[in-house]
Amino acid sequence: MTRLAVMDALELGDRSPSSLQELVGLPSNLLAHHLGVLEEAGLVVRRRSEGDRRRTYLTLASADASTGPAPTPLAVARVVFVCSANSARSQLAAALWAEASDVPVASAGTRPAESIADGARRVAERRHLALLSSTPTSLGDVTADGDFLVAVCDQAYEELASTSSPALHWSVPDPVRQGGDAAFDSAYLDLRRRVAAVAPRLVAS
């Protein structure tokens, strides 16, 4: 049951070991055993934070690792995808969400860049994905009461954890930092998988 609970939680978003410990209510040594079994089976992977390098997050290895039927959908006013610069990951996530769900969507950055990354524009063009914004936007200019925040980068999640409390955290590696079209394709595929998993669970309020 513990491993199923961990898998169910990770289907929606990434979690730190301490967050999973709080969720399942086990001592750290017992949880570490269960996580080790899941990692060895190739069902989950552990990533070091791109923000606070002392932290690690666990994520599903693939969509094939999902478990069971979805629960009753949650009604939300709007989904807002957040990353630090709002130049790539959050822009792509919002565009993918708009294709997958009728729930309103926006994107923003905690420290927005001056422009959308060229790599994000190129991968959107290759994938026939229509970006929703022409320039990055500050979270303070976008967020409103009732928004369902999804942090799609470690830095944004860690910045917001003590204030805005994102509903979900997706630890998607920064394609701008990595550089090259392959990194943006990887981010696109990761985000598409995550959007597909979460979109059926949310409905417009």
Side-chain angles (χ1 to χ4, degrees), residues 43-111:
L43 296 174
V44 302
V45 294
R46 190 183 300 257
R47 292 175 176 165
R48 189 163 298 281
S49 169
E50 290 186 336
D52 183 346
R53 300 292 292 174
R54 297 168 297 179
R55 301 184 185 216
T56 60
Y57 298 108
L58 292 130
T59 186
L60 285 186
S62 72
D64 294 336
S66 61
T67 61
T72 302
L74 173 68
V76 300
R78 182 177 62 164
V79 174
V80 178
F81 291 100
V82 187
C83 64
S84 52
N86 191 217
S87 65
R89 289 165 289 182
S90 54
Q91 295 280 352
L92 295 170
L96 285 162
W97 186 270
E99 289 191 343
S101 174
D102 293 331
V103 177
V105 65
S107 72
T110 56
R111 290 172 281 109

Side-chain angles (χ1 to χ4, degrees), residues 14 19 38 47 65 83 85 116 139 142 153 184:
D14 302 334
S19 172
L38 292 172
R47 292 175 176 165
C83 64
I116 295 175
L139 180 61
V142 171
C153 83
F184 285 91

Side-chain angles (χ1 to χ4, degrees), residues 3 6-17 19-20 35 38-49 56-66 151-152 154 168-173 186 189-191 193-195 197-198:
R3 293 170 201 168
V6 168
M7 296 289 287
D8 284 342
L10 295 181
E11 187 175 1
L12 296 179
D14 302 334
R15 294 207 179 219
S16 65
S19 172
L20 288 171
L35 293 179
L38 292 172
E39 288 181 82
E40 189 163 333
L43 296 174
V44 302
V45 294
R46 190 183 300 257
R47 292 175 176 165
R48 189 163 298 281
S49 169
T56 60
Y57 298 108
L58 292 130
T59 186
L60 285 186
S62 72
D64 294 336
S66 61
V152 296
D154 299 329
L168 295 177
H169 171 213
W170 296 352
S171 181
V172 180
S186 178
L189 292 172
D190 192 358
L191 290 165
R193 185 265 297 178
R194 294 171 185 269
V195 165
V198 174

Side-chain angles (χ1 to χ4, degrees), residues 131-185:
L131 297 178
L132 307 184
S133 304
S134 58
T135 57
T137 306
S138 172
L139 180 61
D141 295 334
V142 171
T143 190
D145 291 342
D147 283 341
F148 187 93
L149 297 186
V150 181
V152 296
C153 83
D154 299 329
Q155 287 182 323
Y157 174 73
E158 290 157 9
E159 287 179 43
L160 298 173
S162 62
T163 55
S164 303
S165 299
L168 295 177
H169 171 213
W170 296 352
S171 181
V172 180
D174 184 3
V176 176
R177 179 183 298 183
Q178 294 179 338
D181 286 346
F184 285 91
D185 279 321

